[in-house]
Amino acid sequence: MTSKEKTGDAQREPLTPSEERVADFAQRDPLRFATITAAEIAAQTMTSDATVARTARKLGHAGIREWKRLCADSVDRAIGLDSNLRTQLSRLPERDEEGGQAIAIKRILSTSARSLVDLGDHLDTETFAEAVRAISEAGTATTFGLGTGFLAAEYLSLSLERTGIRSRATTGSGHMLADVFPRLQHEDVSVIVAPRLLTTDVLWHLEESLKRCHATVLISSAAPRRDVAEHLLHLSLPSEDDASMNRMICTFALIDVLAYELARLVPARAVERSAEVQKIRDRVNRLRKK
């Protein structure tokens, strides 16, 4: 929420240079502003808690909490599911347009293909190799995600299990994270799947993983704070507008690449686990035929 959205320039009390830095930060990065503390906002803007609170009042907000809530709401409107759907539909032909369905199919699939090519072109291979090595050597790989991110985290956990790596998928927010964090052990690798954005709960899990685990891997198109990024392995997804609808496709593709690379690293282990799974499947099939 910008200062102009909240109150007119002529109506508000003039901001000092330090207060302008706080207001500019909220306008430039509303998601981050909404998900960090007042002390962290002050540190980011080289001001103080008091300056942050004073800026909120001058802009017409009841307090910092209200300002942060409005920033969060503005992010939701900008990147919400309805906004994404409207953007995608605006790029497609009308249903009654001649050849509209065929055109739509080609455009959607072409966009998905471009996203995968972009993923391959921009993936940091050194970071990817470090992530593969860390997961391969982990006591357990704990995967975490929220919403559709959890679906990908479950798929990743299953893929790791099939290569012979012990893994478990977790999810949860708020108080539920109190049961998740104690499961993170020092010898573990925590893999956090957040394709689209880093919510407060995802950031909290990220910070706890860095404290508790041997290594932390983030799969996301969103960039973490610089002080956090230097301590984790960030497998970055495409973030361009054309790729915004295809991040889940890129996420699952990246998981497949991870799984195959882990299997290639220790092929005997992966083949043994796959054979074990297949034996169980064969047994189930025989029982069903009886």
Side-chain angles (χ1 to χ4, degrees), residues 88-118:
Q88 186 176 21
L89 291 175
S90 68
R91 298 174 180 175
L92 299 178
E94 297 292 335
R95 284 189 58 84
D96 57 358
E97 183 178 330
E98 184 176 356
Q101 188 176 67
I103 295 172
I105 291 171
K106 289 182 180 179
R107 286 184 183 174
I108 292 171
L109 294 179
S110 295
T111 302
S112 299
R114 285 198 303 271
S115 297
L116 292 173
V117 170
D118 188 50

Side-chain angles (χ1 to χ4, degrees), residues 224-241:
R225 296 196 315 265
R226 184 176 301 177
D227 60 317
V228 173
E230 62 186 12
H231 300 294
L232 58 80
L233 300 171
H234 181 199
L235 300 180
S236 181
L237 300 172
S239 58
E240 288 78 4
D241 290 340

Side-chain angles (χ1 to χ4, degrees), residues 270-280:
V271 170
E272 181 182 357
R273 175 53 63 89
S274 295
E276 180 183 357
V277 171
Q278 189 58 51
K279 285 180 181 178
I280 297 172

Side-chain angles (χ1 to χ4, degrees), residues 1-289:
M1 174 66 69
T2 67
S3 57
K4 290 183 179 180
E5 289 176 315
K6 181 64 184 176
T7 182
D9 288 338
Q11 297 174 325
R12 80 179 191 191
E13 188 178 349
L15 300 179
T16 65
S18 59
E19 292 164 352
E20 284 286 1
R21 289 201 300 274
V22 177
D24 288 343
F25 177 45
Q27 183 174 8
R28 186 177 65 256
D29 197 346
L31 175 61
R32 190 173 176 189
F33 185 89
T35 55
I36 61 178
T37 66
E40 290 172 319
I41 294 171
Q44 288 292 319
T45 56
M46 294 181 292
T47 58
S48 64
D49 292 19
T51 301
V52 177
R54 189 168 58 249
T55 306
R57 290 195 300 272
K58 282 189 175 183
L59 294 179
H61 304 293
I64 300 173
R65 180 174 297 180
E66 181 190 80
W67 192 8
K68 290 172 67 175
R69 179 179 58 77
L70 291 170
C71 283
D73 289 344
S74 72
V75 172
D76 287 340
R77 289 194 298 272
I79 61 176
L81 294 177
D82 57 334
S83 175
N84 281 342
L85 182 58
R86 283 195 297 269
T87 300
Q88 186 176 21
L89 291 175
S90 68
R91 298 174 180 175
L92 299 178
E94 297 292 335
R95 284 189 58 84
D96 57 358
E97 183 178 330
E98 184 176 356
Q101 188 176 67
I103 295 172
I105 291 171
K106 289 182 180 179
R107 286 184 183 174
I108 292 171
L109 294 179
S110 295
T111 302
S112 299
R114 285 198 303 271
S115 297
L116 292 173
V117 170
D118 188 50
L119 173 64
D121 289 342
H122 293 92
L123 185 64
D124 187 327
T125 54
E126 290 186 9
T127 302
F128 180 82
E130 287 185 52
V132 169
R133 183 166 55 251
I135 294 172
S136 177
E137 297 172 354
T140 300
T142 300
T143 66
F144 175 85
L146 295 175
T148 53
F150 177 57
L151 298 178
E154 283 190 306
Y155 179 65
L156 172 58
S157 183
L158 177 62
S159 299
L160 295 179
E161 287 279 353
R162 287 181 175 177
T163 63
I165 296 171
R166 187 168 57 188
S167 179
R168 59 173 175 266
T170 61
T171 189
S173 60
H175 288 172
M176 291 181 66
L177 291 175
D179 293 311
V180 173
F181 292 156
R183 301 175 192 168
L184 301 174
Q185 303 298 315
H186 176 68
E187 66 275 12
D188 293 351
V189 167
S190 175
V191 185
I192 299 167
V193 186
R196 207 159 56 93
L197 74 163
L198 305 179
T199 64
T200 302
D201 291 315
V202 169
L203 288 170
W204 189 14
H205 194 290
L206 188 60
E207 291 169 358
E208 287 294 325
S209 296
L210 290 171
K211 294 176 186 175
R212 296 170 181 264
C213 296
H214 175 68
T216 299
V217 178
L218 172 66
I219 298 176
S220 181
S221 63
R225 296 196 315 265
R226 184 176 301 177
D227 60 317
V228 173
E230 62 186 12
H231 300 294
L232 58 80
L233 300 171
H234 181 199
L235 300 180
S236 181
L237 300 172
S239 58
E240 288 78 4
D241 290 340
D242 284 345
S244 63
M245 301 301 154
N246 299 285
R247 289 194 186 115
M248 289 308 297
I249 293 174
C250 290
T251 300
F252 281 97
L254 181 55
I255 289 171
D256 283 340
V257 175
L258 269 174
Y260 278 110
E261 190 62 20
L262 286 161
R264 198 165 68 91
L265 192 64
V266 190
R269 181 180 64 184
V271 170
E272 181 182 357
R273 175 53 63 89
S274 295
E276 180 183 357
V277 171
Q278 189 58 51
K279 285 180 181 178
I280 297 172
R281 285 182 170 183
D282 292 341
R283 183 183 176 189
V284 171
N285 289 337
R286 288 194 299 270
L287 291 172
R288 284 180 172 176
K289 290 179 181 179

